[in-house]
Amino acid sequence: QKLEVLALVAIAGRRHLGFWAHAEQIWGALALVDRNVIEMRTGEGKTFVAAFAAAWHALEGQGVHVVTANAYLVERDAHEMGLVYNALGLTVGTTQAEQSLPEKAQAYACDITYGTSTELGFDYLRDQLAVFPDQQVQRGRHAAIVDEVDSLLIDEARTPLVISGMAQ
């Protein structure tokens, strides 16, 4: 079943993006699907490899978060890889700081949600502070695929996420 899903993603990538899946990308995708960490250099197709694993986990019927380094990559990757996901019948959303609560809820209701670590983290914190369940936007956390993990988990981890507000 795993190889069949990876083959479907490879075919969708070829048809909709003109990408050929190379052996190292397939091996990387297999490792990600098995929840392992992989390292790839710039230009080796990390974004495409992440799409294999995101599709695999999304086809299990639970939400997948793809975490990227900045808002530009959120939009670019969601749009580009969205062509592959849509070909497989999957929905894609993005979460951005300027979105309203209903817009964020809609993005998280998608099969795959792209966001920055900061935005996903703040959305999590806001959900924990919500008084009513309909004020929460995220659904369960089944799988997260982190692009540029060194930047996000080392460099960005130095800055804590803090939310403050009036106490009742």
Side-chain angles (χ1 to χ4, degrees):
Q1 183 181 15
K2 196 180 302 183
L3 293 176
E4 293 163 347
V5 170
L6 296 180
L8 288 172
V9 174
I11 291 167
R14 175 69 185 127
R15 287 184 180 167
H16 298 280
L17 300 173
F19 292 171
W20 286 99
H22 299 285
E24 62 271 10
Q25 291 171 322
I26 299 297
W27 286 112
L30 284 168
L32 282 180
V33 165
D34 288 336
R35 298 180 183 268
N36 292 304
V37 175
I38 64 168
E39 179 182 2
M40 296 179 75
R41 296 175 192 248
T42 301
E44 289 185 328
K46 290 186 292 279
T47 302
F48 191 36
V49 171
F52 283 92
W56 165 260
H57 290 296
L59 287 168
E60 292 180 334
Q62 298 172 335
V64 178
H65 295 161
V66 180
V67 188
T68 61
N70 58 55
Y72 167 77
L73 292 175
V74 167
E75 291 298 325
R76 183 199 75 179
D77 295 352
H79 173 73
E80 189 172 72
M81 293 301 118
L83 298 172
V84 172
Y85 302 136
N86 291 333
L88 301 174
L90 298 171
T91 57
V92 182
T94 62
T95 181
Q96 301 281 356
E98 65 277 355
Q99 290 175 320
S100 67
L101 204 63
E103 290 171 326
K104 282 187 175 287
Q106 183 179 8
Y108 283 113
C110 291
D111 298 308
I112 300 165
T113 305
Y114 278 79
T116 63
S117 61
T118 302
E119 197 56 37
L120 293 165
F122 275 126
D123 288 344
Y124 172 80
L125 291 174
R126 283 188 286 265
D127 279 0
Q128 299 310 304
L129 295 172
V131 177
F132 300 105
D134 65 343
Q135 295 173 329
Q136 295 176 330
V137 295
Q138 290 185 339
R139 60 179 176 165
R141 284 157 293 287
H142 171 66
I145 298 164
V146 182
D147 193 3
E148 303 293 341
V149 71
D150 56 339
S151 171
L152 296 175
L153 297 183
I154 297 172
D155 301 337
E156 295 288 327
R158 294 181 193 159
T159 308
L161 300 178
V162 178
I163 290 184
S164 63
M166 297 296 294
Q168 295 185 15

